[in-house]
Amino acid sequence: MARRRVLLLLKPLDVYPPRPLATSIQTNGDRTISSKILRHLDDRCRAHKETIDHCKSIIERRNLDWELIMRNNLSKSICHVDLVITVGGDGTLLKASHFMDGSVPVLGVNSDPTNDLEVEEMSEEFDATRSTGYLCAATRGNFEQVLDEVLEGKKQPTELSRISLKINGAKVQSCALNDILMAHPCPASVSRFSFRIKKECGETSQLINCRSSGLRVSTAAGSTAAMQSAGGIPMHISMPDLQYMVREPIFPREADIPLMHGFIKPNEGMAISWYSQEGMVYFDGSHVYYKIRHGDVAEVSSDAPALKVFLPSSLLT
């Protein structure tokens, strides 16, 4: 039997900028960043490196053909592999998803999980939150067990809905796993647009005209991120619906207020007409984006290849 092919995708080791070799750094005159923060950052780098080394040693002991690539060097579609393993956090898994068509499953490893006790102890000094690994099924502590369950077929991936975007009828290359944000590139500027929900049968909702800070659309996987922070509803990760929310609407008509937030069913899409001079559509954060301008029409739906992800058991209940 042919050996399975694995791509190991890593968050860079140099994720923090160079800093002076000192126990403290002066900021705003009499304020200082204590040496505790510097030690915390050093410890985060150490934990990430140790997780990478641990994962590599486990993979090397398996009958696998594997290659390693840093996520910043990923520039073409991921194919000709049987499994993608990301080591970092949700950001690294999201980066991989933009280059995957849904035929290959992905296993995320959170290389530096947050320690709730540490966050509590440091809360009066700084934010000690570490890597977010909501979609990551493994950590350094259980990677060997989870990997073996995957290779032996004891653990199955879950298909997660993604967001498809068309601009003026042309489908863009990327699919969003978490969410998209459509907004003016300057956060202080007003975004002007209108939208309506369209069904496959041809029926449409009423037209909603908006002046706001933009429009966010999330998947079920992304509903617990920025969408929930803005007051959205957390969805079970297996739900195929999309959720949308107009951000900070400016004096909407009373009849339109209930429609500032809602859901897009799998047989529906959202048509958005953009009326600001400039605009951007951001995919899963700020690194992947598409420019739009006055008069452009964007279409958003879940008509995208589902992504196969090995999820933590806590998300499957």
Side-chain angles (χ1 to χ4, degrees):
M1 184 175 68
R3 299 207 301 179
R4 276 182 275 194
R5 301 157 296 178
V6 173
L7 174 65
L8 185 62
L9 185 71
L10 307 180
K11 180 173 78 173
L13 288 169
D14 56 345
V15 291
Y16 303 111
R19 58 179 185 269
L21 296 175
T23 58
S24 65
I25 301 173
Q26 290 292 330
T27 61
N28 298 331
D30 57 354
R31 296 182 60 193
T32 63
I33 300 176
S34 72
S35 59
K36 286 184 179 180
I37 299 178
L38 302 184
R39 289 198 299 270
H40 174 74
L41 296 179
D42 288 339
D43 188 65
R44 292 202 59 185
C45 291
R46 177 197 56 77
H48 179 53
K49 184 178 185 305
E50 288 181 354
T51 301
I52 291 173
D53 292 342
H54 178 72
C55 291
K56 287 167 60 177
S57 69
I58 297 299
I59 292 172
E60 286 172 346
R61 298 200 297 268
R62 302 302 185 271
N63 186 32
L64 300 169
D65 284 331
W66 66 283
E67 62 176 315
L68 180 153
I69 186 170
M70 307 304 290
R71 74 180 186 194
N72 292 353
N73 297 329
L74 191 59
S75 60
K76 60 183 180 179
S77 297
I78 296 174
C79 55
H80 307 303
V81 298
D82 302 301
L83 174 66
V84 174
I85 300 173
T86 63
V87 182
D90 284 345
T92 306
L93 194 152
L94 289 170
K95 178 66 178 283
S97 75
H98 297 154
F99 295 87
M100 300 175 69
D101 63 4
S103 61
V104 179
V106 56
L107 168 64
V109 182
N110 186 352
S111 62
D112 184 30
T114 293
N115 182 318
D116 292 337
L117 181 59
E118 179 185 45
V119 172
E120 181 65 26
E121 290 177 346
M122 297 292 104
S123 62
E124 295 297 324
E125 299 183 54
F126 63 93
D127 181 8
T129 302
R130 294 178 177 242
S131 176
T132 301
Y134 178 72
L135 299 174
C136 297
T139 62
R140 179 185 175 187
N142 68 353
F143 174 69
E144 183 169 17
Q145 174 188 344
V146 173
L147 178 62
D148 286 344
E149 290 175 352
V150 168
L151 296 177
E152 294 168 9
K154 296 178 180 178
K155 189 174 183 65
Q156 298 300 319
T158 300
E159 293 192 349
L160 300 184
S161 294
R162 293 194 282 181
I163 300 173
S164 169
L165 172 69
K166 293 180 181 179
I167 300 176
N168 298 327
K171 197 167 189 175
V172 305
Q173 184 176 5
S174 298
C175 300
L177 179 59
N178 262 7
D179 56 29
I180 65 169
L181 172 62
M182 184 176 295
H184 194 283
C186 174
S189 294
V190 174
S191 297
R192 293 174 170 85
F193 58 93
S194 63
F195 71 89
R196 66 169 84 237
I197 305 298
K198 302 171 66 175
K199 296 185 178 181
E200 286 181 348
C201 64
E203 295 180 3
T204 62
S205 69
Q206 69 183 72
L207 185 68
I208 308 297
N209 298 303
C210 299
R211 291 183 304 137
S212 74
S213 298
L215 173 71
R216 187 181 300 279
V217 182
S218 83
T219 61
S223 67
T224 56
M227 180 62 74
Q228 184 178 5
S229 297
I233 299 172
M235 304 159 65
H236 190 276
I237 200 161
S238 64
M239 288 185 65
D241 300 4
L242 304 180
Q243 184 174 177
Y244 73 86
M245 179 178 289
V246 177
R247 303 169 74 225
E248 301 170 324
I250 301 172
F251 299 122
R253 296 190 314 156
E254 186 173 349
D256 292 344
I257 292 176
L259 300 174
M260 294 291 110
H261 174 223
F263 294 86
I264 306 169
K265 301 294 183 182
N267 64 338
E268 298 175 340
M270 173 182 278
I272 306 123
S273 297
W274 189 255
Y275 296 123
S276 292
Q277 186 174 356
E278 300 176 80
M280 304 284 275
V281 185
Y282 299 96
F283 274 57
D284 294 330
S286 61
H287 298 295
V288 179
Y289 56 84
Y290 298 89
K291 294 182 179 181
I292 53 176
R293 59 184 181 180
H294 183 276
D296 283 347
V297 176
E299 300 172 61
V300 174
S301 72
S302 58
D303 183 23
L307 186 71
K308 298 176 182 177
V309 183
F310 292 100
L311 293 173
S313 57
S314 59
L315 293 183
L316 301 176
T317 57

